[in-house]
Amino acid sequence: MKKFYKMPFYLFFILFSIVSSYGQNIVPPKELSAASGSIEKIEAANRWIDHFSNQDLVELPVGIRNTVNNVQYSIGITKAIFSPEYTTLTVFCRVDIPQKDKNGQPMQLFFGADDVKLSHQGGIIGEAKLVLLGNVDIPFSENKWQLSLYGGFEMATGHVNDLTYVTIDCDGFKEMKISGAVEFSRDLILPIENLQTGEVDENKTKIPKTYYNGNTYDVPNRVRGDFSFTASDWNDILVNVSLQPFVLKDKRNGKDFDGNFQFLVSNAVLDLSDLKNDPTVIFPDYYTKNALLVPSPEAWKGVFIQTFDVGLPKEFQTTDTASNKGRIHLGAQNLIIDKYGVSGTFYANNVFPLDRGITGQEKSWAYSLDHIDVTIAANTFVKANLNGEILLPITKAATENKSTTADPKKNSD
C-alpha cells in the first residue's frame, strides 16, 4: 500500500472497479474507490460539454459524454498544464458496460492517461490513448464464460502498454482496442494438457493471474483463447480467437477421458454483438426447437466454430493408432459454445477401411468405419450413428454390413 501513496495525484482519478467472475471478489483499495467521485462531481455539476477546447479548461473537472448502442462513454479532464506549445491534459474515461456484477449492477471500466496534448488551436495532437488500468474479468452468460481484458497500466511499476485502451478526440470517444482472452467455466469444458496422451487437467491446476490492484491470485486453469482487435463500440464485437484443445467436462466411458471426443480448434468467432452475427454462424435445430435464441438470433452471445478437428474416443482404433497410442482425427464443422455448453453435429465418411480397423490390440476383429455422425446438444450427446463392415472370426472371406445408432443412455459412442 505504501507504493500507492507515492503515485502521482492524477492516478487517484483514473481507476476501474470490477468484480471478477466465478465467485472471486477483488475489492479495490478504498483510495481508488473514493477517486470515482471525480465523475460524480462532473455529473452533479452537469459540467458536460460538446467539444474540448482551451476555453473549457478554466474550471475543472469538465467532461464529454457519448452514448453508442446503449453503452455510455464518459470522458473527463481533471488537470491541465499550459505551455507555449500545447496544453497537457490528464484525462480519464468511464465506460458503463451492460454486463452485471454479482450484485446485479452494471459494471464500469475506467481508462486514463496524463499526457494527452491539446493544441492551442483546439485539436488533439497525435493519437490520444487512455489505457485500462490492470487486468479485469467480465462474466457472461451466468458465469459460464468470461472475458479477461489485459490492462495497459501496471500498478506496481507504472509502466504503460498498448493492450486495452480507448482513443478520443475533441468530440469524445472514437474507438477502443481490446486485448485479452475468452475463458470458459470448468463446468462446461476442460483443457487438454497433452494431446498425445490425451491427459486432461481434471485436478483444477491453479495458474497465477495478476489483477488491477497489482496482486497476483491463483485461478483455475480454464480453456481459453487470446484475441486482440479494434471496435467502434462495446456492443458490436466480433473477433476471431484460437481456443485450446478441450473435452467436455463429463467423462464418457470408464474412469478416464479416453472415451471422450477431443475438440481441436484452429479458428473460432467470438460473438459479443447485440446487432449481428458472423455470416458463417449456423445454429443447430436444437436451438430453434427449444427457443434458445430468444429474444433474437442477433442477440446471441458465444463462440462459433466453423471448422475444427475432432479426435474420436480411443475405442475407435486402427493398426496405426494402436501402435502409436494415438487417436483417429476427423475434420468437422459448425460447433457452438455458449451458456448452454457445447452444441452441434459433426460427421465423416470413409473414416478407415476394413484392412486397418481393429476392435482391440489382442484377439481383435477387423472392421471399417464408413460413416459416423455425432450430435451434441447443450453438452449432452444426443446420438451417434455409425456405418461400416465387420469381419467375423469364423471366416476371412465373408463380411457383414453393420449400421448402428448409439443410445446415449447406454453410454455408447
Side-chain angles (χ1 to χ4, degrees), residues 158-197:
H159 183 68
V160 175
N161 299 307
D162 288 344
L163 295 175
T164 300
Y165 58 83
V166 297
T167 59
I168 66 169
D169 59 19
C170 290
D171 297 316
F173 171 80
K174 288 179 59 181
E175 61 184 12
M176 63 195 315
K177 179 188 175 184
I178 301 176
S179 300
V182 56
E183 299 181 3
F184 291 91
S185 168
R186 293 180 60 89
D187 291 335
L188 296 180
I189 55 180
L190 298 176
I192 298 174
E193 294 295 290
N194 188 315
L195 275 177
Q196 186 164 357
T197 64

Side-chain angles (χ1 to χ4, degrees), residues 73 77 137 300 313 397:
Y73 304 84
I77 298 177
D137 294 341
W300 173 84

